Amino acid sequence: MKRISTLFLLLFLAGNLFAQDETPIVPADTSYWLKEISGGLNLNQASFSGNWQGGGVNSIAVGTYLFGRANYAKDKWTWDNTLDLTYGVVKNKDEEGRKSNDRIYLDSKVGYEINDKWNYFFAVNFLSQFAPGYDFVEPEKVLISKFLNPAYLTTSIGVEYKPNDEFSLRISPFAPRWTFVTDTDLYMNVPTNYGVEIGKTVRTEWLAFNLLADWNKKLSENLTFMMRYQMFANYETLAFDTIDHRLDIGLTAKVSNLINVSLTSLSIYDIDQDDKIQFSQGLALGIAFKRGNFPEEK
């Protein structure tokens, strides 16, 4: 009997030890990524009866966009990546379809924390378009741009001021830029050839200054504001009228989980394209989606 009691005691103790060993171990969080992708489709349409006296033209416009970001952060290191694609077409009665929007924007930045508001950074930025662009001069259309005509690849090293999750300012005293025009005959339609020497396909600007400000603000529960400003100045040709400026602004109102209204504008000043400010604006209603693990902005 004593041996049986001793055996039960040993089994009891062994069971407790085994149970302790089987306690679930919660793995350490090794996911340092925040990811998000959003996109949408916008549709605008207008039609008029044959006897409509108010004037107007039947038209349809379709636009789509895709925005993504993937940010990595561990200790003092960060790696932020942004993808911004936009394309739109408008078709008026008795006219060819024309682009209403066209943008390829890629940005990748590696940062190292100096303190809670400042970082060192190295970034690569690419900007171009998808489809050919035309100057519609009756009775024909003239090709003035297309994919990689032009395209801009900018690298930059400097410091970044980031006081919060809404605003960032990159200041780069060294920002080489490459301008591509792969069609060597395009200069016949665009005499400036976007700053690229005629007969060549790329222009390199080694000594340059670059500034990029990015502000994303949630104005209310269903209203968000976006602003991105870029400045580029070549030290070798530095003058007030040779500094390039680009300003993107967007205002989005969420109507429901799938429907939103967006107002966008783009302003460009680049003397290698035109000696005046270029401006475009768009208003759209469409369906949208958004997925990701970024924390909700307050």
Side-chain angles (χ1 to χ4, degrees):
M1 186 69 177
K2 183 177 181 180
R3 290 180 179 178
I4 295 176
S5 299
T6 303
L7 180 60
F8 272 107
L9 179 61
L10 290 174
L11 290 173
F12 177 77
L13 292 174
N16 279 338
L17 290 173
F18 184 78
Q20 290 177 6
D21 290 339
E22 287 296 310
T23 302
I25 299 174
V26 179
D29 183 10
T30 57
S31 176
Y32 302 101
W33 285 94
L34 292 175
K35 302 175 184 179
E36 179 182 274
I37 186 167
S38 59
L41 178 68
N42 301 316
L43 177 65
N44 296 291
Q45 184 267 340
S47 62
F48 305 87
S49 64
N51 62 340
W52 182 259
Q53 299 301 309
V57 59
N58 295 348
S59 66
I60 184 170
V62 179
T64 183
Y65 71 93
L66 182 68
F67 179 84
R69 52 179 177 161
N71 295 352
Y72 174 88
K74 182 181 180 183
D75 300 327
K76 291 189 175 184
W77 288 97
T78 60
W79 183 21
D80 298 344
N81 302 277
T82 300
L83 167 72
D84 189 357
L85 309 177
T86 303
Y87 188 75
V89 177
V90 60
K91 175 70 169 66
N92 294 324
K93 183 180 179 181
D94 300 326
E95 291 183 353
E96 290 186 57
R98 307 185 182 192
K99 289 195 302 183
S100 58
N101 217 334
D102 191 356
R103 178 173 69 247
I104 301 173
Y105 176 85
L106 303 171
D107 186 82
S108 184
K109 173 182 67 73
V110 175
Y112 184 80
E113 181 182 295
I114 302 173
N115 55 42
D116 60 344
K117 294 183 180 180
W118 289 90
N119 306 294
Y120 297 115
F121 80 89
F122 170 75
V124 179
N125 183 286
F126 177 79
L127 182 66
S128 189
Q129 64 189 48
F130 288 102
Y134 298 93
D135 185 5
F136 288 87
V137 180
E138 296 297 340
E140 59 183 15
K141 60 182 182 181
V142 178
L143 177 70
I144 57 175
S145 64
K146 57 183 178 179
F147 179 65
L148 292 181
N149 292 268
Y152 303 95
L153 178 66
T154 306
T155 59
S156 54
I157 299 174
V159 293
E160 179 187 43
Y161 174 64
K162 192 172 183 179
N164 51 52
D165 293 335
E166 296 176 351
F167 179 80
S168 66
L169 174 66
R170 300 184 201 171
I171 304 170
S172 176
F174 181 66
R177 182 175 75 174
W178 291 264
T179 302
F180 299 92
V181 176
T182 57
D183 186 344
T184 54
D185 294 327
L186 193 64
Y187 76 93
M188 290 187 288
N189 299 336
V190 184
T192 63
N193 207 37
Y194 299 101
V196 177
E197 185 179 340
I198 294 175
K200 295 186 177 181
T201 58
V202 63
R203 174 192 181 189
T204 303
E205 298 170 272
W206 286 107
L207 300 176
F209 174 88
N210 181 248
L211 182 147
L212 190 151
D214 206 332
W215 186 30
N216 291 271
K217 177 69 175 177
K218 190 168 186 178
L219 301 177
S220 67
E221 183 65 26
N222 298 316
L223 186 64
T224 57
F225 173 81
M226 181 281 292
M227 184 278 294
R228 184 191 299 131
Y229 168 72
Q230 299 179 71
M231 185 186 79
F232 181 85
N234 187 327
Y235 293 129
E236 297 178 317
T237 60
L238 188 59
F240 181 78
D241 62 347
T242 62
I243 299 175
D244 299 341
H245 304 270
R246 179 187 174 102
L247 178 63
D248 293 81
I249 294 177
L251 190 65
T252 302
K254 185 177 180 181
V255 179
S256 69
N257 289 334
L258 287 176
I259 300 175
N260 63 23
V261 178
S262 61
L263 174 65
T264 59
S265 73
L266 170 60
S267 303
I268 297 175
Y269 175 78
D270 184 345
I271 199 171
D272 293 322
Q273 297 186 19
D274 197 283
D275 59 0
K276 298 182 177 63
I277 296 175
Q278 304 173 63
F279 177 79
S280 70
Q281 174 267 327
L283 177 64
L285 170 68
I287 59 175
F289 73 91
K290 184 177 181 180
R291 296 291 184 273
N293 63 344
F294 273 82
E296 286 292 327
E297 299 176 3
K298 303 299 182 182

